[in-house]
Amino acid sequence: MNLHIGDYGHLFVIISFFSAILASYGFYQGAKENQLGNPSWMVFSRIAFGVHALSVFGIVASLFTIIYTHRYEYHYAWSHSSNHLPVYYMISCFWEGQEGSFLLWIFWHVILGAILIKVNNTWEAPVMAVFMLVQAFLASMILGVVIPYLNTKIGSSPFILMKEALPDLPVYNVRPDFIAEDGNGLNPLLQNYWMVIHPPTLFLGFAATIVPFAYCMAGMWKGWTKEWIRPALPWALFAAVILGTGIMMGAYWAYETLNFGGYWNWDPVENAVYVPWLILVASLHLMISYKNSGTALRMAVIMVTLSFLLILFATFLTRSGILGNASVHSFTDLGLSGQLVIYLFTFTILAFVLIANAWNKIPFENEEPSVYSREFWIFIGVAFLSLAAFQVLATTCIPVYNTLAKSIGIELSMAPPAKPEIHYSYWQMGFAIFIAILSGMGQFFWWKKMDKKQLWEALYLPIILALSFTSIIIVFGLLDTNPGEEIHYAVKAAYILLIAASLFSIFSNIMIFIKVVQNNYRLTGGALAHIGVAMMLVGILFSSGYSKIVSLNNTGLLYSKEFSTEVNRDNLLLFRNAPEKMKDLQLIYKGQRIEAKGYSGYINKDWTFPTEDPYKLILRKDLKDKDVVVFKKGDTLEVNPENTFYEVAYVKATGDTFTLYPRIQQNPRMGNVVSPDIKHFMGRDLYSHLSAIPLAADERDWSEPETHTIHQGDTIYINDYVCLFKHVDVINNVPGVKLGADDFSIVAHLLLLGPDGSSYPMHPNLVILSQQSASGAIPEMNEELGVKITLNKVKPDTHEFEFSVQTCQKDYIIIKAIEKPGINLLWIGTLLVIVGLTMAMFRRYREFVAMRNKGQEVL
């Protein structure tokens, strides 16, 4: 056992915790009125921050070394990693566990803290005092220290040993120094490139929300109740960009990896991230409103604070175990729930006290805003964003209500919605209609004051265009459903309203964009972001509300009584190499495929021999890539046995063909994990995934062996196929089998001939072990035909060979295909939102730098 690296890692954790406390205290002292900018306190604080940063890097290096070198004496490495994971998935192992995700959060705080120290002058001490206090709480989550006499553990360490985490394993009674040979492995759903980049992006978004909060709290503390807006605004935009990007990365991961046919499932953990992002976006509008017109500052203070506190609340929801029965994403409780509650309440109380003390100093406008003012419409937009967030949060917290009631002896037994996708979607669609309308109207008010006449002159063209295009959509039947499928008239009316409102927002903001870009393109960020939001709404509506199942079973036959009605109705049964019609396409299942290290494409599984090591296969034939031989016959391939891809050719009436490779991951812990493959077209996606595959060969219901004793050149009949026994060879090398010097193998060369002219060679082996006077048969199986042939014995006296033949169900797949219309609008809209917010962020940051360089940070 290598105990040193874990000891070093744990020491780094302890140093990071105490150095964070020291840095926060030092910055606090440096921020006092009589010490503001005191060089000695600032030097002390920066040194403490530097020690903290180095210790965090030490923790990261220690933990990744444990994972990378397969140190399975440590519970974290054993729980999340395994011997055969590639390096990029080892990175995913790093943050699969709770401790690793907290460490990722801490790491990003270090990076952001270093930037804050670099870019700030006057604001450095008060902002960093708040910032490092939060960091100390985060560091405590991975402390893993038991307080003597109180028997209380603070944090959960990623450096505990297996025998500390699982002391009751019987093996430790026999072998106290036992180390597992392999790890438990990474969740197969996380073995995806999006899981390498999505969590770091999301946690950077989490980390970034602290910065506007820290500026706000520093402003309340120091009496700079309005000055905090300028430095906080670019950071609030940065947090909105990164957190929104992380959320949409997660949505695309779900779309590409999971098989529920969508990208958002209203899971409580998804909701817990979505809600603070909505509040953050609302706070952005309030901050900009104050920046431009001196209104809504009090609301901005509340909303910025709330966005950070909701991140803490989301952390509690996802890591306390309270959503364990309601969410497939939440972590189990590692004993951190008490700490998380303290964490949340500490900063809630701190924020309340600071805001309460400064409340009367926060500028407040007494006049009611005019209905024709931009302030009025921003307030209305913020109200709808807040209501949308509240509706999601109120329903998501049902398990919390039940737990709180139970703690005081009351049984609520409230249940989350039976169909959350319907419950949330209908509510959110209503809010989205108003938000789309407001995002179109608000931009006009943003750029100039309006009266009734000016308002109509500005709005009539986008209204006419929106109504015209909505009418065209209705007339051409783009809102029609699948035959036999009905939508309630109220829902369809809501769909029409959402389309019209979104189109109105797009046309309105395009008009604003055209006007503004002529003067200064840097001012177009808001218009671009609003266009993007409206496009996202249209994409969501069409791709979710008007998805069409195109793989309908029109045969009238049930595939299996054991299958659900949905599988029998909405799926196609494909036998290998037997075309089936689907809409305007012919589908041809061509067989199982695998990936191998060192080869860029997919490999036909039938071209390989198995070995005793499931991670290694031997090639039956040369493997080429663009006429270049990459691997030769007999070479050993390194593969991942969990992943099997099923090649399906989609042939158009014109003869054009594209190929999809939906995947099945056969995981010992989770069974068969299904992932789709997607063909992207300009106006739609074709989304295909498998619903059923045959059992493994050793689990199938094979027929009783039928024995045939024949000579070379003879033929036998196997179902509809003629089997020709061509000849035999004697060989001394059998893939996957170790032969002695006097051992050999007899390989029979058979050829199955089909009625359609197809042919299938088969090569069963009979291994002769001379010294043991024994033999062993290696049967040959043809997956496509469901045929297994075994060479049982050789009769030298009569020159006869005895074969046994068994048959089973032919190779097949049952596949589901869904058309997703308009989904590209969602992804394009997402990019526009990111671009727009990023442009606004740089613009606001340049404003801050200009004032900082003039020495007017708090003016």
Side-chain angles (χ1 to χ4, degrees), residues 701-708 788 804-808:
D701 186 15
W702 291 93
S703 66
E704 290 296 321
E706 182 179 342
T707 303
H708 301 270
K788 180 165 61 177
S804 63
V805 178
Q806 292 175 277
T807 59
C808 69

Side-chain angles (χ1 to χ4, degrees), residues 260-282:
F260 69 91
Y263 38 81
W264 193 265
N265 207 29
W266 295 109
D267 183 90
V269 171
E270 296 171 346
N271 298 347
V273 181
Y274 170 68
V275 168
W277 184 80
L278 281 181
I279 298 300
L280 182 59
V281 171

Side-chain angles (χ1 to χ4, degrees), residues 279-321:
I279 298 300
L280 182 59
V281 171
S283 68
L284 274 174
H285 287 81
L286 292 168
M287 294 169 74
I288 295 171
S289 177
Y290 177 77
K291 184 76 171 49
N292 288 276
S293 60
T295 60
L297 182 56
R298 288 184 174 182
M299 281 298 299
V301 169
I302 293 172
M303 297 297 277
V304 167
T305 303
L306 193 57
S307 65
F308 174 71
L309 295 179
L310 282 169
I311 289 290
L312 300 188
F313 184 64
T315 306
F316 167 75
L317 287 179
T318 56
R319 285 166 172 75
S320 65

Side-chain angles (χ1 to χ4, degrees), residues 186-308:
L186 181 67
N187 185 322
L189 294 176
L190 303 183
Q191 295 181 33
N192 180 283
Y193 64 95
W194 283 109
M195 283 296 108
V196 179
I197 57 177
H198 159 59
T201 305
L202 194 64
F203 276 94
L204 176 56
F206 285 177
T209 59
I210 188 185
V211 182
F213 170 78
Y215 274 112
C216 183
M217 293 301 99
M220 299 303 105
W221 170 25
K222 299 301 297 177
W224 305 331
T225 54
K226 57 184 179 183
E227 290 82 359
W228 67 274
I229 289 286
R230 181 181 287 114
L233 184 52
W235 283 103
L237 286 160
F238 174 78
V241 169
I242 301 300
L243 188 57
T245 302
I247 291 170
M248 293 310 297
M249 281 181 174
Y252 196 83
W253 163 78
Y255 182 61
E256 190 180 74
T257 304
L258 306 181
N259 71 329
F260 69 91
Y263 38 81
W264 193 265
N265 207 29
W266 295 109
D267 183 90
V269 171
E270 296 171 346
N271 298 347
V273 181
Y274 170 68
V275 168
W277 184 80
L278 281 181
I279 298 300
L280 182 59
V281 171
S283 68
L284 274 174
H285 287 81
L286 292 168
M287 294 169 74
I288 295 171
S289 177
Y290 177 77
K291 184 76 171 49
N292 288 276
S293 60
T295 60
L297 182 56
R298 288 184 174 182
M299 281 298 299
V301 169
I302 293 172
M303 297 297 277
V304 167
T305 303
L306 193 57
S307 65
F308 174 71

Side-chain angles (χ1 to χ4, degrees), residues 528-548:
L528 281 176
H530 286 124
I531 293 170
V533 169
M535 290 181 68
M536 289 176 68
L537 293 176
V538 175
I540 291 169
L541 173 61
F542 276 106
S543 62
S544 299
Y546 289 93
S547 290
K548 292 185 179 181

